[in-house]
Amino acid sequence: MAYSIEVADALVKTLGKFKTLNNYQLAGQLANIEFWADEVRHVVRVLDGYSRRDSDRKKSERHYINTHDTKRFDAYEKEVFNDVLDPEFLRPALPDDYLIESSVIKAKRQQVADALYHFLKRCHKEQLLTGEEAKACLKSCDLGWEPGDFSLHGRDPNV
């Protein structure tokens, strides 16, 4: 699986655990909110930059293939036949065509946003965080949420 998806899944899984924590444990994770917000921003950059990185990778692979007499072998062939791999009999190389669909990237980005939202919502519900603090955190992560989208019910009537 691609790093972009793995890192998003790991963060979503971790943030998802926070909704089941005891309040004192939740307060402990909230003490590290800047770390978690940084992780969200990092994963969002990873996801948002995937298309450009994939394009750059394919362009570099094509350039290398076109400027070298590049042949292709599979990992299995390398492992089993390493001593007898004859370049004359190998297939011509082509750029890898692996691609994460944009719809998958978009869905993962939404999962990351939702995981952070639910963490902040739980913190607000437990009165560990004000609505304004939650909105500011969401806004700082550039998730495309407008502050008005964050509607929590609790002590803060302005939310």
Side-chain angles (χ1 to χ4, degrees):
M1 184 171 300
Y3 171 79
S4 300
I5 300 302
E6 287 180 5
V7 71
D9 286 345
L11 182 60
V12 167
K13 182 179 177 182
T14 300
L15 290 175
K17 291 177 185 178
F18 296 169
K19 63 185 168 190
T20 63
L21 294 177
N22 292 298
N23 286 354
Y24 71 92
Q25 294 168 314
L26 187 64
Q29 293 302 330
L30 182 59
N32 293 309
I33 190 62
E34 269 311 306
F35 169 78
W36 293 116
D38 285 344
E39 289 296 292
V40 167
R41 286 187 285 270
H42 168 73
V43 169
V44 166
R45 282 192 308 273
V46 167
L47 292 169
D48 289 352
Y50 173 79
S51 181
R52 179 195 47 78
R53 289 190 316 277
D54 187 59
S55 176
D56 290 348
R57 176 189 60 81
K58 288 178 182 173
K59 181 179 175 183
S60 293
E61 286 180 7
R62 276 192 293 281
H63 175 73
Y64 186 92
I65 289 166
N66 291 335
T67 58
H68 298 78
D69 186 22
T70 308
K71 303 291 182 176
R72 179 183 187 100
F73 57 84
D74 295 326
Y76 171 79
E77 293 170 328
K78 180 75 171 164
E79 183 179 316
V80 175
F81 304 110
N82 188 45
D83 295 334
V84 292
L85 274 178
D86 186 343
E88 181 180 339
F89 298 106
L90 294 176
R91 300 171 300 286
L94 297 171
D96 290 330
D97 61 359
Y98 179 79
L99 174 71
I100 303 172
E101 296 294 328
S102 61
S103 60
V104 173
I105 296 291
K106 184 177 179 180
K108 287 297 169 187
R109 194 181 198 283
Q110 187 62 53
Q111 289 174 4
V112 170
D114 290 347
L116 178 63
Y117 170 83
H118 289 293
F119 170 44
L120 296 173
K121 184 175 179 178
R122 169 86 195 284
C123 290
H124 182 264
K125 179 184 174 200
E126 301 301 340
Q127 301 177 11
L128 300 171
L129 187 68
T130 69
E132 289 306 312
E133 290 168 327
K135 291 177 190 180
C137 182
L138 282 173
K139 188 171 180 149
S140 78
C141 291
D142 193 28
L143 297 171
W145 293 66
E146 290 298 319
D149 291 345
F150 193 83
S151 56
L152 297 172
H153 306 303
R155 299 183 98 196
D156 187 348
N158 297 319
V159 180

